[in-house]
Amino acid sequence: MDHFNYQGGELCAEDVPLARIAAEVGTPVYVYSTATLSRHFNLFREALAWTDHLICYAVKANSNLAVLKLLGAMGAGMDVVSGGEYARARAAGVPGERIVFSGVGKTRGEMAQAIQGGIRQFNIESEPEMQALSEVAAGQGAVVPVAVRVNPDVDARTHAKIATGKSENKFGIPIARAREVYAEAARLPGLRVVGIDMHIGSQLTDLDPYRQAYSKMAQLCRTLRADGHAIMRLDMGGGLGIPYRRDNAAPPLPIEYGQVIRETVGDLGCEIEIEPGRNIVGNAGVLLASVIHTKRGEGRDFLILDAAMNDLIRPAMYDAHHDIVPVREPAVGAEVAPVDVVGPVCETGDTFARGVQLPPLGDGELVAFRSAGAYGAVMASEYNSRPLVPEVLVAGDRFAVIRPRPSIDEMLGRDRIPDWL
Ligand SMILES: *Cc1c(COP(=O)(O)O)cnc(C)c1O
């Protein structure tokens, strides 16, 4: 459920007509709903109400400081994968004790930054990384809490580019080697083993892979405890999918996901950490765009928008689907015709969707891409020297620009011409 609905014939974000935002901020622009963000965060809270837990929002899904501040103020922890994300979480007021550091290639600089700033836990992804973390921590006279990311070798049944829990993926250490690696972690100075971590992929629409992975985790927890490790936390990762198509069967709900966690690891007395990203922000955002014009092609028509692949890369990168809807509500029984919805970038990949059934839309009319709050703005670029897409946050009948569109002068001003030119 989200808070983008037609009211009085116009698509609104909560109580703000999207047309008003377009008029004041221009398009393309991302628009987020506070009510949807908080609602989704609360659903996870309810799903884990049966146990001690920390919901570590995956910052990479949407890292705008306003979004982080909103979630942090509700009690969220954060899952970060870079020094930049760590700095964002701290700047949004999230204390280090609520920040988990994941990622396959943490540099020594990033490790030192997080240790100095305060950190809840490092999720270690390999033995060389474990060695490096031990040296950095011991060098600072620190002892840092660690979990090892274990790759359970289960098929998450999602798009290949976002599956992470198969043995051929670059993530984590193979589960068969876990005992050895934990033994080494316990020996190394500067590290304190506190938990086990897994993250098997993104946009999962089936609970079965979770059940398989978490059962393996429960087994491993018992084994590691028998080996003498004080496993007190289980980090279950993120990945729960969202409905991208309104007409499809909806993926499992957070409450059902929480039930799987309870059934598989609930009897171990561990604090539970989860790292949802997409499920919290995905349906809390839309990308608002204007029609530049319709181009009549041979056998097909192209609806050319002022948004492009540099603003929302998911269709080009993952063949992702976003529902595209007119902002002015079509009359009941209005005629629709298929159009290919494209952006102005000079690549054929700059195609959002083919054969979308839309009513006729005049130049300047607005459309919204639904479910664009996650992996949208964060993946945007300035390709084709198109200004980085701005972001707006709505709360009730208010809205604020939470990242302005840079001017062309600002963009040009970032480059430097060497003095020999
Ligand atoms: C990307 C990622 C997440 C979040 O995934 P979602 O599908 O957005 O929930 C959580 N944990 C780790 C380690 C990740 O890499």
Side-chain angles (χ1 to χ4, degrees):
M1 202 201 99
D2 63 45
H3 295 77
F4 297 91
N5 295 302
Y6 289 107
Q7 292 178 36
E10 278 197 274
L11 190 61
C12 294
E14 301 189 28
D15 296 327
V16 180
L18 289 173
R20 207 172 104 210
I21 296 174
E24 285 183 37
V25 185
T27 56
V29 57
Y30 279 95
V31 181
Y32 309 129
S33 154
T34 301
T36 312
L37 282 166
S38 351
R39 179 186 137 81
H40 290 173
F41 180 73
N42 282 327
L43 289 177
F44 281 105
R45 215 155 35 187
E46 286 160 26
L48 295 178
W50 53 273
T51 186
D52 261 3
H53 67 267
L54 184 66
I55 301 164
C56 296
Y57 166 68
V59 171
K60 74 176 196 275
N62 184 323
S63 59
N64 189 288
L65 285 182
V67 171
L68 301 187
K69 175 123 199 220
L70 177 80
L71 293 170
M74 293 182 76
M78 304 272 151
D79 172 51
V80 304
V81 294
S82 71
E85 286 191 355
Y86 178 86
R88 280 184 176 274
R90 294 306 311 271
V94 180
E97 311 82 75
R98 296 214 306 255
I99 302 178
V100 167
F101 206 137
S102 301
V104 277
K106 306 169 195 77
T107 65
R108 284 169 187 251
E110 289 173 321
M111 292 171 182
Q113 173 195 358
I115 295 169
Q116 273 152 26
I119 190 81
R120 173 184 176 83
Q121 160 191 324
F122 281 94
N123 289 336
I124 295 176
E125 296 235 8
S126 67
E127 288 155 287
E129 179 177 78
M130 187 163 81
Q131 187 66 44
L133 182 62
S134 164
E135 285 167 26
V136 173
Q140 293 188 16
V143 177
V144 296
V146 297
V148 176
R149 177 165 176 181
V150 173
N151 186 325
D153 194 22
V154 301
D155 184 354
R157 295 184 212 140
T158 183
H159 192 284
K161 284 186 186 166
I162 49 176
T164 57
K166 284 288 284 174
S167 55
E168 70 255 30
N169 301 134
K170 68 179 175 180
F171 300 96
I173 58 130
I175 194 157
R177 301 213 43 243
R179 288 178 79 185
E180 246 175 279
V181 175
Y182 271 87
E184 179 66 8
R187 268 195 301 274
L188 286 171
L191 308 183
R192 182 163 55 89
V193 170
V194 296
I196 309 174
D197 171 46
M198 274 186 188
H199 171 70
I200 59 172
S202 198
Q203 186 54 17
L204 272 71
T205 52
D206 179 354
L207 290 175
D208 204 48
Y210 281 123
R211 202 181 297 276
Q212 289 174 37
Y214 296 167
S215 301
K216 291 188 180 188
M217 189 189 240
Q219 189 61 48
L220 179 63
C221 179
R222 293 194 182 92
T223 306
L224 293 176
R225 281 178 169 172
D227 288 349
H229 302 287
I231 305 295
M232 295 130 45
R233 292 180 191 160
L234 298 177
D235 184 335
M236 322 303 290
L240 188 63
I242 62 168
Y244 278 102
R245 291 174 195 267
R246 307 237 124 193
D247 48 358
N248 265 25
L253 300 170
I255 195 84
E256 298 166 311
Y257 172 65
Q259 203 50 40
V260 169
I261 297 177
R262 187 175 194 166
E263 284 163 20
T264 49
V265 302
D267 61 344
L268 293 165
C270 286
E271 184 178 5
I272 300 297
E273 297 165 335
I274 57 170
E275 302 170 346
R278 189 191 310 272
N279 207 292
I280 292 180
V281 285
N283 285 328
V286 297
L287 172 63
L288 184 59
S290 304
V291 174
I292 297 179
H293 51 246
T294 302
K295 179 176 168 183
R296 310 270 166 222
E298 276 181 20
R300 54 176 74 225
D301 291 343
F302 298 96
L303 188 70
I304 306 178
L305 302 180
D306 64 355
M309 63 189 291
N310 69 296
D311 304 307
L312 176 65
I313 200 152
R314 299 190 65 258
M317 189 145 95
Y318 312 120
D319 310 308
H321 169 90
H322 288 269
D323 280 349
I324 301 168
V325 297
V327 166
R328 190 164 47 83
E329 188 171 20
V332 184
E335 222 174 280
V336 292
V339 285
D340 286 9
V341 182
V342 303
V345 160
C346 305
E347 306 232 3
T348 305
D350 189 22
T351 297
F352 290 116
R354 295 189 185 281
V356 185
Q357 297 288 344
L358 283 170
L361 291 166
D363 299 358
E365 284 211 65
L366 298 167
V367 296
F369 290 75
R370 287 188 171 274
S371 310
Y375 306 106
V378 281
M379 286 190 169
S381 75
E382 292 185 340
Y383 186 41
N384 278 211
S385 284
R386 295 166 44 83
L388 194 65
V389 60
E391 297 170 274
V392 162
L393 182 66
V394 171
D397 58 4
R398 287 177 301 177
F399 74 88
V401 176
I402 57 174
R403 177 180 289 166
R405 189 188 319 275
S407 68
I408 299 285
D409 282 349
E410 276 169 63
M411 290 167 61
L412 302 193
R414 284 187 226 129
D415 292 3
R416 296 289 178 273
I417 294 174
D419 57 11
W420 67 80
L421 280 180

